[in-house]
Amino acid sequence: MTATALALQDFAQYDDAACDARIRAAKAALGDRCAILGHHYQRDEVFAHADYSGDSLKLSAQAAASDAEYIVFCGVHFMAEVADILTRDDQQVILPDMAAGCSMADMANLRNVERAWRELSEVLDPDEAITPVTYINSAADLKAFCGRHGGIVCTSSNARGVLEWSFSRREKVLFFPDQHLGRNTAFDMGVSLDEMVVWDFAKPMGGLSVEAIRNARMILWKGFCSVHQMFHPNHIKKFREEHPQGRVISHPENAFEVCQASDVVGSTETILKTVRASEPGSHWLVGTELNLVNRLHHEMAPRGVRVQFMSPVVCMCSTMFRTDPQHLAWVMDNLVEGHVVNRIQVDADEARQAKAALDLMLEITA
C-alpha cells in the first residue's frame, strides 16, 4: 500500500489496452468491495467494465442495493450525486473525472432558480400556485430546492406521472432544466402549447409578462440537451422517403417537432425495450446518444433488425466522454492501494432535502 495517492498524470502514459488490463486486475483484487456503474451513454472502452448498466436512477438504486463499499460511477456529476444521496453511509461514491458534468444541468443553477422563485412571487404566491419539478439531470441543490418547496424530481420515464401528481396539487408547474421533456410530456397529457411559456433565466421576470405568467400552466426553463438538439425533422423526413416501412423512435429530450414526427417517444429504457422487442426485418431510426445507438445497432444486427442513428453528424455526449480508461484505471488502482480519490459527498442537509423529493417521486410512480 502506497503512502500517498497515485498521480493521475502517471496514467496518461498508458494506452487503452494497458488501462484495460489494469482495470481488470484492480477489479479482481477488490472483488465485491467495488462496483462499477456504466451509464448507457458511456464510451465502449469504459462501458465494458461496468458491473451494472442503465440510466442514472436505475444505476443509483442498484448501487444502493449492492454490498459494495466503493461505487465507481462512470457517468457525469449529477448522477454520482444521486448515487451518494441514495446509497448507505458505509458506501463511498467515486466519479473518475470530476470535470464530467452535464451542459443541460448547468443551465439551471440554484442562484437563478431562487431568483426566478422570488420574481414569480411578485405575481402570485409560488408556494401555493406552483409545483417545482426538476428533471433528475440536475444538481443536488436543485433537488433540495424542490424538497423545500413541496416539489419533486422526475425522470424521462416517469415525467407524466410526476406532472399528473403536480397538477393535482397546484395549478402550475415550474419545470427545469430541460424545456423539451416538460413540453413533450405536458402536451401528450393534453396541455396546449398556448398554456406553456419559456422562462429565460437571463432576463428579468424570465422575459415574460405578468399576464403570460398568470395564464401559463407550464413554466418551462430555457434549458436543453446539446446532444438531442442535433436531431431535426428533416432527418426523419429523409428516412421516411428512403425507408417507408421504417419506424422512428426518439427520446423526449428532443425538440417538440422531432417528437411529433416520431412513431414512438420514450426514455432510454423505453428505446432499448422497444427496439429489442421488434420483429426481424424492422428498421429503426433512433434519436438519442451515439454510443447507445451504436451498441444497439450491433446487438440487433444478428436478429435482422436495422438500427440507424438519426443525425448524419456525429453527436455524442462530450462530457460523458471525459470518463476514459485512463481515469478509470487511476481511481481503481488507487482503491487497490487504499486511497479514495474523487469522492462525491453531498452536504448532509442538502442530501436530506433532495432525498425527500426523490423518495416522493419513487412513492407516487411505484
Side-chain angles (χ1 to χ4, degrees), residues 23 28-29 124 136 161 167 209 219 283 312 322 344:
I23 294 164
L124 40 75
I136 198 166
F167 282 128
S209 67
I219 303 172
H283 188 174
R322 294 188 67 99
I344 297 291

Side-chain angles (χ1 to χ4, degrees), residues 316-329:
M316 61 182 66
C317 181
S318 58
T319 49
M320 191 80 69
F321 198 71
R322 294 188 67 99
T323 300
D324 55 23
Q326 287 71 27
H327 280 84
L328 181 55

Side-chain angles (χ1 to χ4, degrees), residues 141-213:
D141 56 9
L142 291 188
K143 296 178 178 73
F145 173 91
C146 289
R148 291 194 299 273
H149 291 278
I152 193 169
V153 179
C154 80
T155 69
S156 55
S157 297
N158 64 26
R160 181 177 183 128
V162 166
L163 286 184
E164 288 172 347
W165 175 87
S166 300
F167 282 128
S168 73
R169 300 181 67 255
R170 299 172 184 171
E171 60 179 301
K172 303 177 189 295
V173 165
L174 173 62
F175 191 96
F176 49 87
D178 179 36
Q179 62 174 302
H180 300 292
L181 175 61
R183 181 181 294 107
N184 289 320
T185 305
F187 185 82
D188 190 53
M189 294 168 56
V191 180
S192 71
L193 295 180
D194 291 339
E195 296 175 290
M196 304 185 207
V197 295
V198 176
W199 184 276
D200 187 341
F201 52 87
K203 298 178 180 178
M205 295 297 292
L208 301 172
S209 67
V210 170
E211 182 182 14
I213 293 171

